[in-house]
Each structure stands twice: as C-alpha cells, then as structure tokens.
Amino acid sequence: MSATRLELSDVSKSFDGLAVLDRISLQVRHGEFVSILGPSGAGKSTLFQVLTGGVARDGGQVRFDGAALGDNSPFAFMPQRDALMPWRRVVDNTTLGLEVQGVSRVAAQARVTPLFAEFGLDGFEQHYPAQLSGGMRQRAALLRTVVQDRPMLLLDEPFGALDALTRSGMQRWLMTMWAQHNWTALLITHDVREAVYLSDRIYTLTARPARVMREFAVPIPRSRRDLASAEASQIEAEILHTLLNQQQDP
C-alpha cells in the first residue's frame, strides 16, 4: 500500500460561531486520486482554504508526508474558475504561478513551453484567454497549476462551469494526464458520476457542519472505467442513496 501523503485528523473550523467543519478526518495516499462529495454550502471549499493557508483551522491536525503542515505549501491549487487574466497571453497566464514564486519570466516560459503540446495547447501560446474554448481555458489553468511542480494537486470543481460534452472530454483527458504523471490529487466535486469515474476513493460529507459520512472505494481498474458498467452504476447509486438519505434526515 502506498504511503500516506496527506492526513487530516479532527479538523474543525467555525466562522463567527457558525460551525462549518466538524472534526474532518481523511487520508490521501501517494499517487491516489481522491474526491470529496457533499451538498452545496457544506464547507468543501473551506476545507481547501484550510489546506492552502487561506484560513486557520480551529482544531485538529494536518500532516503531509508524516510531518505537520508548515509554511511552505506542498499544494498546487486549481480553483473553480480558470481565473486566467484576460490581458495576459496564454503563455504568460501559464507562467504566473512560477513568477509569483520568484522564477524569472524567461525561466518560467522555458519550463512551460515544452508542455503546451501535451496539454493540447500547441500553437495557442500567444492567444488571449477570450480566444480559447472553455476546455482549452481549463487545460491552460491546469498547466499553470501543475507546472509549479508541487507534490499534490487540489482541484476545486475545475470542470463545473463547462457544458456536459466538454466536461466529459476533460474528465477523460484528466484521467490520462493523472496516470501519465503519477499525480496525487484531491478533488472537490458535486458530480457523483465524475467522482466515480476519476477516483480511487471518495469521501461523502454531511451538510454543514461538514462531517465525513462515509468512505467509498472505487475498485474498478482504470483500463475498464466505463460509467455505463454495472460496477460503476452500483457505486454511483450507493453514493446517491447515502447523500439523499442524509438530506432527508430531520
């Protein structure tokens, strides 16, 4: 079994007396793709803010590779929207994270340029974001994220704004890229089918204050991932049943 990369133990967070996260515990192992599912407003994005240092947790522990999480973040974070700057060309958008870290623009471009073909952006380096399709913008945003070469990806509903057909294509592309690069990833999504397709394991959360309800394994080999299969449909139905029953409880 792979070593644990990220471990959360009893992580809690409140805002002005309103409990948002209530003793969240979960693990992500090296090379795993793990998803978090839960109702809107449950606190999933707050959990990512805790991990990236945007807010301080009230209690609990966060450990990465066995050590307490320090000031040097091990995470590359991709938000819900692509957040590309409209006045910067695509190549300059993809280097932005590196430049913020102090890498020179020339060095950053040298690191990014060889990846454009792999990310389906070859020939679009000098375009502006408005000239790209939604899927291409998301690929540019993911390139900006992964080129920072952090140990782990945090993906906050990266495909939520895309149409169904584009989203499906991006999911397949992300699975291919994840396998090629052996990324470790934690995904927030509202889409049960997306979680089943992409994940090794899935955590479901309650409504606010968020608690881990259940952990689901997805034991379908990547080579046989098919959302029309009986195995995938059974896992999806079980997750939906868990989430819907939780919402109906008084």
Side-chain angles (χ1 to χ4, degrees):
M1 183 177 294
S2 299
T4 298
R5 294 233 80 173
L6 176 66
E7 183 175 15
L8 279 66
S9 301
D10 295 328
V11 170
S12 298
K13 179 63 185 176
S14 297
F15 293 99
D16 298 324
L18 176 66
V20 178
L21 305 177
D22 184 14
R23 293 168 295 173
I24 297 286
S25 296
L26 58 83
Q27 293 183 350
V28 182
R29 302 182 188 100
H30 189 283
E32 266 195 318
F33 198 116
V34 175
S35 290
I36 298 175
L37 281 167
S40 296
K44 300 184 297 297
S45 292
T46 298
L47 182 61
F48 270 17
Q49 288 182 300
V50 168
L51 293 177
T52 57
V55 299
R57 63 187 181 276
D58 297 333
Q61 293 185 336
V62 179
R63 301 181 71 82
F64 193 84
D65 285 347
L69 197 64
D71 294 333
N72 294 324
S73 174
F75 307 114
F77 173 57
M78 183 173 173
Q80 295 179 16
R81 302 287 178 174
D82 59 63
L84 299 179
M85 295 183 176
W87 60 89
R88 291 178 67 118
R89 298 181 188 272
V90 173
V91 65
D92 297 318
N93 267 288
T94 57
T95 60
L96 186 58
L98 292 172
E99 292 177 41
V100 169
Q101 295 176 31
V103 179
S104 72
R105 178 169 292 191
V106 172
Q109 288 188 0
R111 191 183 303 184
V112 167
T113 299
L115 297 173
F116 269 83
E118 188 174 358
F119 278 70
L121 296 167
D122 194 24
F124 292 89
E125 293 90 340
Q126 299 304 317
H127 285 59
Y128 289 98
Q131 298 173 292
L132 303 184
S133 67
M136 292 177 73
R137 290 174 63 106
Q138 291 303 102
R139 290 199 295 273
L142 187 60
L143 174 52
R144 179 189 59 201
T145 303
V146 302
V147 77
Q148 298 173 48
D149 199 25
R150 305 277 188 172
M152 184 170 174
L153 303 180
L154 301 180
L155 308 173
D156 189 355
E157 295 191 78
F159 308 141
L162 300 178
D163 65 86
L165 187 60
T166 304
R167 182 174 185 143
S168 178
M170 287 297 296
Q171 289 165 356
R172 291 194 298 271
W173 175 81
L174 179 59
M175 179 183 284
T176 300
M177 296 293 290
W178 171 85
Q180 287 178 357
H181 292 275
N182 194 32
W183 292 333
T184 301
L186 182 61
L187 169 75
I188 285 174
T189 180
H190 286 101
D191 189 332
V192 176
R193 183 160 292 186
E194 177 174 84
V196 171
Y197 182 67
L198 291 172
S199 305
D200 298 296
R201 292 183 298 113
I202 299 166
Y203 288 95
T204 56
L205 302 184
T206 65
R208 185 183 297 169
R211 305 181 185 92
V212 173
M213 271 195 298
R214 189 172 167 187
E215 175 188 342
F216 292 85
V218 185
I220 307 171
R222 299 262 168 200
S223 60
R224 294 195 296 105
R225 290 286 169 109
D226 178 0
L227 291 174
S229 71
E231 292 172 287
S233 297
Q234 182 178 352
I235 296 170
E236 184 178 349
E238 193 172 358
I239 293 172
L240 282 169
H241 178 76
T242 300
L243 291 170
L244 290 172
N245 278 357
Q246 184 268 147
Q247 289 183 343
Q248 293 169 2
D249 286 341

